[in-house]
Amino acid sequence: QVQLVESGGGLVQAGDSLRLSCAASGRTFTSNTMAWFRQAPGKEREFVAAISWSGLTYTDSVKGRFTISRDNAKNTVYLQMNSLKPEDTAVYYCAARSGHRAVLVVEYDYWGQGTQVTVSS
């Protein structure tokens, strides 16, 4: 089992920055890929970014604004979010899987509880 705990969400204004963190514990050596998803009210959960040993993947709407990174020594993955927009408002979830980078919710085995990000205009 892998446990994931997100932190760093909050209320910010458009144009501001936030950094989300996801601390992993348990059988973390099985988590080749770590990812961030988000879910806005009334919408389905959607892929944001993923990181694995072989590289990075971003959804088009965050390219150039968001950066995913990981600190293996701390078993932590980060999401640096710059130039935030009101449409970025959502609950952000950390996810993990043992395989290669993937963009579908069903492909991930472990999930955190989520952290709220609210961007005001």
Side-chain angles (χ1 to χ4, degrees), residues 1-65:
Q1 292 291 327
V2 176
Q3 293 77 44
L4 304 172
V5 179
E6 303 97 334
S7 62
L11 171 64
V12 296
Q13 294 185 333
D16 286 350
S17 299
L18 273 178
R19 189 178 79 157
L20 305 183
S21 300
C22 173
S25 60
R27 296 170 59 87
T28 57
F29 61 89
T30 65
S31 301
N32 175 49
T33 295
M34 301 291 292
W36 288 95
F37 286 75
R38 65 187 180 186
Q39 187 167 17
K43 295 186 177 181
E44 294 186 351
R45 194 169 298 188
E46 65 172 1
F47 172 79
V48 175
I51 184 169
S52 70
W53 304 114
S54 61
L56 313 172
T57 302
Y58 295 95
T59 192
D60 287 345
S61 63
V62 307
K63 286 181 180 177
R65 299 189 299 123

